[in-house]
């Protein structure tokens, strides 16, 4: 699908690299937070994200990775919610 566009504008890939890298970085962070705070409801309750904002991120994530963040697994990455919450609790108690 992108081949005709890239052929017509050969420099577009270089121009878009920063945007694409930034977007992928944001979506990776979204996936981690999605896992840590408990998905859709957690994003709204714990992070104060609006429904439309969460749906927009889910749509971007699906477009980039082909699956919903509940289903997608990054190879080699495991999210341990219990260890995260315990560690964050310990950090807050020190402050």
């Amino acid at each position: 699908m992108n081949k005709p566009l890239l052929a017509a504008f050969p420099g577009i890939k270089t121009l878009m690299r920063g945007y694409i890298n930034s977007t992928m970085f944001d979506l990776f962070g979204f996936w981690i937070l999605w896992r840590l705070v408990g998905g859709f409801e957690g994003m709204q309750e714990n992070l104060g994200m609006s429904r439309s904002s969460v749906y927009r991120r889910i749509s971007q994530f699906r477009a980039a990775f082909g699956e919903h963040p509940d289903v997608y697994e990054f190879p080699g990455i495991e999210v341990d919610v219990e260890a995260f919450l315990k560690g964050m609790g310990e950090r807050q108690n020190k402050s």
Side-chain angles (χ1 to χ4, degrees):
M1 180 166 147
N2 290 333
K3 286 182 182 180
L5 180 63
L6 294 174
F9 303 99
I12 198 165
K13 190 173 182 179
T14 304
L15 291 173
M16 297 297 291
R17 185 175 296 137
Y19 171 76
I20 292 168
N21 289 341
S22 175
T23 300
M24 295 308 253
F25 184 81
D26 288 345
L27 291 175
F28 179 72
F30 170 76
W31 179 83
I32 290 174
L33 285 172
W34 180 273
R35 297 296 175 103
L36 291 175
V37 300
F40 193 93
E41 291 81 16
M43 297 296 265
Q44 288 185 294
E45 293 171 15
N46 298 315
L47 300 178
M49 292 180 73
S50 68
R51 286 178 60 87
S52 62
S53 181
V54 177
Y55 279 123
R56 191 171 35 257
R57 288 295 179 117
I58 292 170
S59 177
Q60 289 173 331
F61 191 90
R62 282 184 183 221
F65 297 105
E67 292 182 321
H68 191 277
D70 277 337
V71 177
Y72 191 80
E73 295 289 337
F74 282 98
I77 297 177
E78 189 174 320
V79 178
D80 187 343
V81 177
E82 290 177 21
F84 173 77
L85 293 175
K86 180 181 175 191
M88 291 304 289
E90 291 171 359
R91 292 186 103 185
Q92 284 183 336
N93 290 336
K94 288 181 182 179
S95 300

